[in-house]
Structure formats: C-alpha cells, structure tokens
Amino acid sequence: MAQQEDVFKKIVSHCKEYGFVFPSSDIYDGLGAVYDYGQNGVELKNNIKQYWWQSMVLLHENIVGIDAAIFMHPTTWKASGHVDAFNDPLIDNRDSKKRYRADVLIEEQMAKYEDKIQKEVEKAQKRFGDAFDEAQFRSTNARVIEYQQKYDNLHHRFQEVMNAEGGIDLDGLKQIILDEEIVCPISGTRNWTDVRQFNLMFKTEMGSTADGASTIYLRPETAQGIFVNYLNVQKTGRMKLPFGIAQIGKAFRNEIVARQFIFRMREFEQMEMQFFIQPGTELDWFAKWKETRMKWHQNLGFGAENYRFHDHDKLAHYANAATDIEFRMPFGFKEVEGIHSRTNFDLSQHAKYSGKKIEYFDPETNESYTPYVIETSIGVDRMFLSIMCHSYEEQQLPDGQVRTVLHLPAALAPVKLAVFPLTKKDGMPEKAQEIINDLRFHFNCKYEEKDQIGKRYRRMDAIGCPYCVTVDQQTLEDNTVTLRDRDTMEQHRVPISELQSIIEDKVSITSLLKKLL
Ligand code: GAP
C-alpha cells in the first residue's frame, strides 16, 4: 500500500513537471481541490472528451448533443431535490479542528478490513505457491474469518444507518465511528462532534443587490441542463423514443473531503447522457448501457481485470437502480462513472414546478406519458486520472537505466509525433520542419532540436508521444527517416511519403471508435 502511495505521489509530480496538471493559482500556493490543465493535459483531456462525444453522438443515430448554461433558474434545484437532499454528513474532530465526511471515515474503516484480508491472502499465496486454493483459505483461516466478520457487521450497520427511514441516521453514523474506535488521522484522538448535514452546492448572486439580486447555484451536475431542455430537443429534433441527449460541461461541488489530486475536485467536468425511454423498459436499458459503457472503458486496452461494477445499496433520491464502473487506481478500486436508472423523477418534478406538460406522445401506442431515463455520467477528470495512473511506468532498461514512460493509448496522447533533426546543420532542421508542415494537418506534431537524441526520446516518452522520427544524413540522400515506437523503443527506416499512412490510423480517435462496433 505504501508503495502504491509513493507511485501516486510520483504521478502527481509527473503531471506538474510535464505540463499536464497544475494546482490552480499556483503562484498563490494553489486553491484547495481546484486544478488547471497545462499544455499537454488539455490535449489529453480534449481527446478523452472527443472519444466520449463521438462514441455517443456519432455512433448513435438517436443521440444528439447540447451545451446548456452553467447558471440555471434556481427553481431547477428545488425541483431536482438538490436544495433539500444534496448533502454530505460531516463530523469535526475537536482537537485537530479538521472536518471529515462521516460516511467516508466508515468506508475507509471497511477498506482497512478488506486490506487486512488481502494481505493474509497474499502471504498465503506466496507460502503455498501453485497449490494455493484461495476459496478454501478464505473459508478456513481464523484471521481472515475474523476480519470478514468485522467487515460484514460494519457493512450491515452502515447500510442500516445510511438507508434509515426519513434519511440518513446521523446519530447512528456517529455511534459507528465511536464503536469502531476510529481516530482522527491528524490528532489521533476520538474527540468527535455530532454529525451534521452540509449542502454541497455553491451559491452566488445574480443581478445587483439594489435590484433585489436572486440566489443562484453553480450546477452540481450537468444532467439538469438536459432535463430542462428535453421538450426543446424532442420537438425541434423530432426525436422518437428511445433517444438520448449528451452533454459535456463543468460541474461544481463544495466537497469537504477533497483529496487524491483530481479524483475529488470542487470544480470538475462531467460527460453525461440522458437516455429517454418508455416506462417499464428501464431495467433492460439499464443492463444495455452498463454493457456499452464497460466496453467503452475496456476498449482502451488497460485490461478487464482493472474494472468492476459496484451496484449501489443506497440509491440516490431519484434512482431505482444504480451502479458504478470502478477502476483500479493506486489507492484502490474507485468510481469513475455512474449509471443510473432515474425513473421519471426529474421530468415529473420539472413538470410540477414549471407548470408545463413534459410528456411524450407515443405514436405507436397513441398514449402520452412521462419518459423514464437511464443516465450515464462520467467525470472527465477521473477518467484522466485513471489513464495517467495506468499509463505511468518507471521502466528498468537492460543497460541499467530507468526511463519514465507514459503508455497512453495513442489515440489519446497529447502529441502523436515528434520530429528531430539529428544535428542542427546540413539542412536537417529544414527537412524536419518540412515533414511537420506536411503532417500537422493530420495530427499533433512537435519539433525538437535541443539536446542529444537520447534525451529528446526520454522527454517524448514522459509525455506519452507514441512516435518519434529522426532526420539524419541518409534522409537527405533517400528521403527516408527512422521511426521509433514509444513502447518497444524499436526503430526502423521508412520513406517520408509513408509516414502519414503508417501513423494516422493508429493515432486517430476513429481507430478507437471502430473497435467499439
Ligand atoms: N448526474 C449524476 C451524477 O452527477 P455522480 O455519481 O454524483 O452522479 C458522476 O457523479 C461522475 O462525476 C462520477 O462518477 C465522477 O466521475 C464525477 N464526479 C463526481 N463528483 C466529482 C468530484 N468532486 N470531482 C471529480 N469528479 C467528480
């Protein structure tokens, strides 16, 4: 675990050192849980968004996109339930004066039991080698059984208090923290306050106070911009059910436990798609979208074993089924995407609060009804983090050196091709520029002439550039260059005239999309 934490720290500093992610307002020592994307980060982020957008809007004839404003009429959030129910249960430690999410403290305690079990299993695996039977070990080893019982009891109690009648049982949460003897990681004490609810929405004011300014909220999810536009899009696009509306945009949450770099931010970006369907078909569509979205993730080639579904025990106020797609981060399996069956809750609520009829006339059944909705909701920043974590490697080379390389999927890499003149003379820089001038219309290219070739390769490895081309003496004679592959580090000579066809297909988003069909 400590080793994984070290790796994570290295990834965070790598992100800064190579222009992927900077703390916001860095010269003022940053702003908590707010980050800026640098010159390479923004390219990677844009490619992730393009991969998602095209997989939704280009590959589905019945999905269209919109771009709704961040500011919305304040009644939106009353109708959606966010004003009353978008809360986190908070607890303070009186000694350290630090504030925590009570539910997260308990989840971390459960994770500790899981870790302990995992450690026992790994130890036994080493001891018994091939003869090891994990299932038998788990059901017979006294220590594992004890930890499993503790985990199960805690899990059961936690579910009870989180799903208590009338909302979360705040006293029950505190009692679990006391009974489990959970201490504040800073002060090490158990001097806890009571648990209180805290609304996560940021508020601001629109208009001048003299005119009677009204309180509005920074949207905590992009989804409501889709719901309030359901009628506009359905009518103007003459959309027939089932159909979807996709959107990418910023969302804001006043997260209290803002940790783990860009995993939990106060300003972040979501890619959400609301799929409107006939009531009664929601569980079938829920299953279909689970499969479609998992395929989209696994298509990046990071290995199926690094993903899992986590079905929710506690459902949000609007859902009748929900699951997370979790990815194995250095700090454990964590949610990257949520898939929710949101019933007709949101459209019905907006109909009620706006006084407008928000329905669909089904020409096949001659009936009008409020559509049900399946939502797929993924955080761009979490997706970015999962890709960085999986791609980062400190690779031991045969000559004893270590190279830091990002094995980014080529289609997502910020720079696709780097072109180097071997030396700064004999017309090599001009030839290299000529290659770039030709290829820059097809994909992102970078020119580098500083330092020895070896150092230039390393810099490109560190930003995940999949291909490097070197212009040398032979190029000037026969118009061929050496093409180096980032992952294998192998080089071979190819004619300049073939570079585009060799590289373009491998680095285009289209290559990823084709594998989805
Ligand atoms: N519209 C449904 C919705 O917003 P959610 O599970 O709260 O559902 C969906 O959020 C996704 O948004 C999450 O799976 C995560 O990837 C991302 N997300 C949520 N809160 C975030 C935060 N504070 N920082 C970064 N990403 C976040």
Side-chain angles (χ1 to χ4, degrees):
M1 204 64 181
Q3 208 184 356
Q4 287 297 297
E5 275 164 24
D6 284 351
V7 172
F8 189 58
K9 275 190 199 145
K10 284 182 183 169
I11 293 168
V12 175
S13 24
H14 191 87
C15 279
K16 181 163 186 197
E17 193 180 340
Y18 287 93
F20 283 92
V21 183
F22 306 127
S24 158
S25 341
D26 202 9
I27 55 168
Y28 295 104
D29 297 331
L31 179 67
V34 186
Y35 291 89
D36 297 341
Y37 286 82
Q39 66 278 17
N40 289 315
V42 71
E43 296 289 342
L44 171 56
K45 200 177 180 214
N46 283 343
N47 291 338
I48 295 170
K49 290 195 269 187
Q50 221 191 329
Y51 174 42
W52 182 87
W53 185 264
Q54 297 194 359
S55 74
M56 287 292 176
V57 177
L58 289 192
L59 299 193
H60 294 95
E61 273 174 38
N62 59 351
I63 299 182
V64 293
I66 62 163
D67 183 16
I70 288 171
F71 292 148
M72 299 183 71
H73 192 286
T75 310
T76 308
W77 305 110
K78 191 75 194 148
S80 67
H82 284 83
V83 171
D84 296 322
F86 196 54
N87 299 318
D88 274 346
L90 298 186
I91 190 163
D92 291 2
N93 181 271
R94 290 197 188 90
D95 299 321
S96 66
K97 311 265 182 284
K98 289 278 170 204
R99 183 162 288 179
Y100 300 90
R101 262 177 64 178
D103 55 333
V104 171
L105 286 179
I106 296 170
E107 278 166 2
E108 285 173 351
Q109 180 75 356
M110 290 197 288
K112 276 187 193 156
Y113 291 133
E114 279 184 315
D115 268 1
K116 284 182 176 165
I117 295 173
Q118 194 52 34
K119 278 203 184 106
E120 294 296 331
V121 171
E122 280 165 17
K123 260 198 296 183
Q125 222 155 18
K126 272 199 195 128
R127 208 166 53 234
F128 296 113
D130 287 345
F132 182 60
D133 178 342
E134 185 173 332
Q136 196 198 0
F137 179 76
R138 279 177 182 267
S139 61
T140 52
N141 180 275
R143 245 183 256 139
V144 171
I145 292 172
E146 186 196 327
Y147 293 140
Q148 190 63 50
Q149 266 166 2
K150 284 189 174 162
Y151 176 91
D152 291 342
N153 290 342
L154 179 54
H155 184 252
H156 179 72
R157 267 184 89 185
F158 184 49
Q159 291 315 318
E160 271 188 354
V161 297
M162 293 301 281
N163 296 304
E165 199 116 350
I168 301 176
D169 170 5
L170 301 178
D171 293 339
L173 271 183
K174 179 172 180 187
Q175 199 52 51
I176 295 180
I177 290 172
L178 297 179
D179 293 347
E180 288 285 324
E181 303 188 343
I182 295 174
V183 296
C184 164
I186 308 285
S187 66
T189 71
R190 284 181 249 148
N191 192 4
W192 297 110
T193 62
D194 286 342
V195 180
R196 288 166 297 116
Q197 290 283 30
F198 175 84
N199 194 285
L200 295 180
M201 284 196 294
F202 282 102
K203 277 186 204 165
T204 186
E205 283 178 354
M206 189 176 246
S208 74
T209 20
D211 291 337
S214 60
T215 299
I216 55 167
Y217 299 96
L218 298 190
R219 65 181 179 197
E221 63 170 9
T222 58
Q224 298 303 326
I226 294 179
F227 289 123
V228 300
N229 276 295
Y230 159 79
L231 279 181
N232 287 337
V233 174
Q234 195 271 320
K235 293 219 161 96
T236 58
R238 290 183 293 140
M239 307 299 289
K240 288 209 164 53
L241 249 57
F243 77 91
I245 304 179
Q247 175 171 222
I248 300 179
K250 290 272 182 152
F252 305 83
R253 295 183 191 177
N254 197 1
E255 298 281 2
I256 297 311
V257 185
R259 261 185 302 165
Q260 281 146 340
F261 191 37
I262 55 173
F263 181 79
R264 200 178 297 287
M265 302 158 89
R266 296 199 166 104
E267 173 180 339
F268 57 101
E269 217 168 346
Q270 288 186 316
M271 307 189 279
E272 298 201 297
M273 194 279 299
Q274 313 297 131
F275 198 67
F276 299 94
I277 52 173
Q278 202 180 18
T281 62
E282 69 269 21
L283 292 183
D284 285 344
W285 280 112
F286 180 67
K288 276 194 193 122
W289 277 108
K290 269 176 81 169
E291 192 190 322
T292 306
R293 293 305 303 146
M294 186 56 107
K295 194 168 170 193
W296 183 90
H297 285 274
Q298 294 187 359
N299 193 36
L300 291 175
F302 296 161
E305 70 282 5
N306 290 315
Y307 299 88
R308 70 181 188 194
F309 285 115
H310 171 245
D311 294 330
H312 288 205
D313 296 320
K314 174 178 162 38
L315 293 172
H317 57 276
Y318 49 72
N320 73 357
T323 196
D324 296 334
I325 294 180
E326 294 186 338
F327 182 75
R328 196 200 299 266
M329 304 271 194
F331 43 91
F333 270 100
K334 294 286 165 195
E335 172 191 345
V336 175
E337 169 155 7
I339 301 165
H340 312 121
S341 171
R342 286 181 82 131
T343 66
N344 60 3
F345 175 83
D346 301 86
L347 290 184
S348 303
Q349 286 290 100
H350 288 306
K352 184 170 138 195
Y353 278 79
S354 67
K356 307 268 174 1
K357 191 170 164 202
I358 307 183
E359 287 186 344
Y360 175 73
F361 175 73
D362 193 327
E364 273 163 36
T365 60
N366 264 339
E367 277 175 333
S368 284
Y369 50 79
T370 310
Y372 269 42
V373 171
I374 301 298
E375 162 183 77
T376 71
S377 173
I378 167 168
V380 182
D381 312 87
R382 277 196 197 171
M383 192 60 204
F384 184 109
L385 184 60
S386 67
I387 292 169
M388 286 304 268
C389 290
H390 192 271
S391 302
Y392 182 89
E393 188 191 12
E394 288 176 4
Q395 190 179 27
Q396 198 73 47
L397 300 177
D399 64 4
Q401 288 193 21
V402 175
R403 73 161 179 155
T404 303
V405 54
L406 286 184
H407 299 285
L408 295 173
L412 302 183
V415 177
K416 313 296 189 190
L417 174 72
V419 184
F420 310 148
L422 185 62
T423 64
K424 287 191 221 168
K425 44 186 200 215
D426 300 336
M428 287 182 210
E430 291 76 8
K431 191 74 189 170
Q433 280 295 355
E434 222 178 87
I435 295 172
I436 289 199
N437 287 344
D438 195 26
L439 294 179
R440 64 159 40 110
F441 298 102
H442 305 282
F443 39 79
N444 199 356
C445 303
K446 196 174 169 67
Y447 176 80
E448 279 262 14
E449 60 173 28
K450 198 168 170 285
D451 297 323
Q452 291 166 336
I453 286 287
K455 276 199 179 162
R456 286 183 250 170
Y457 282 150
R458 289 290 174 275
R459 278 204 295 273
M460 289 302 125
D461 289 343
I463 64 164
C465 175
Y467 296 105
C468 293
V469 146
T470 304
V471 170
D472 55 17
Q473 200 57 44
Q474 192 179 329
T475 313
L476 307 176
E477 290 155 19
D478 65 3
N479 270 323
T480 63
V481 286
T482 57
L483 178 65
R484 174 196 184 257
D485 181 285
R486 173 197 67 200
D487 297 332
T488 61
M489 292 190 288
E490 276 168 13
Q491 301 180 25
H492 57 281
R493 278 207 98 78
V494 297
I496 293 174
S497 57
E498 285 177 21
L499 279 176
Q500 186 191 332
S501 64
I502 296 172
I503 298 171
E504 191 171 24
D505 190 43
K506 297 200 181 79
V507 302
S508 73
I509 298 284
T510 316
S511 65
L512 274 181
L513 294 176
K514 280 185 181 159
K515 287 197 282 166
L516 284 176
L517 292 176

